[in-house]
Amino acid sequence: MNELYRSMGEAQTADDLLARALYALESAWPAAFDPATGNVRLDIEKPENKGLFVALFRHAQALSRRGCHSSALEVTKLLLALDPEDPLGALLLMDYTAIRAGAYAYLERFISEFDSNHSLALLPNYAFSLPLARFRLEQQQQQQQSKQQKQDQPASSSSSSSSVSSYTLLAQA
């Protein structure tokens, strides 16, 4: 139903139905089932589990559309924890949500430590995302260093600097 309403342009209704489906699936979990531990595995080939995988994947997409990229990243991590074989292609969503969430160090660590038959760095999206994540990490480190340097400078040295108008700076460029 979620996909039907989304195709009709009823995004709010589609998201509400998805939230209801996730609530119903979560309510049906046995007490011992705790996906937060990371040692729970489900087989998507069983019809009982397929609905959960599809609902979680669509939920991650919906969260990303709403701008909740950190939450979408966590749902994507959950999908991969439930089935590392990645039957729905959550790996293709992982790098996007990590970049958008600002989890650059996590993405770099994930790519280097991912246990699979193939290297993630060979996938085109990861071949682009890894250098982008490293670039953004370097930018963050430079910004932190410049903030630290500004805090270390005494206040008197900033007042003695000559003031230059923005017009002068534009004229010099």
Side-chain angles (χ1 to χ4, degrees), residues 81-98:
L82 291 176
D83 191 354
E85 298 287 318
D86 191 28
L88 294 178
L91 282 174
L92 302 175
L93 190 59
M94 176 70 78
D95 65 319
Y96 171 75
T97 55

Side-chain angles (χ1 to χ4, degrees), residues 84-85 91 113-120:
E85 298 287 318
L91 282 174
E113 295 176 3
F114 186 72
D115 186 26
S116 180
N117 296 338
H118 59 279
S119 173
L120 286 180

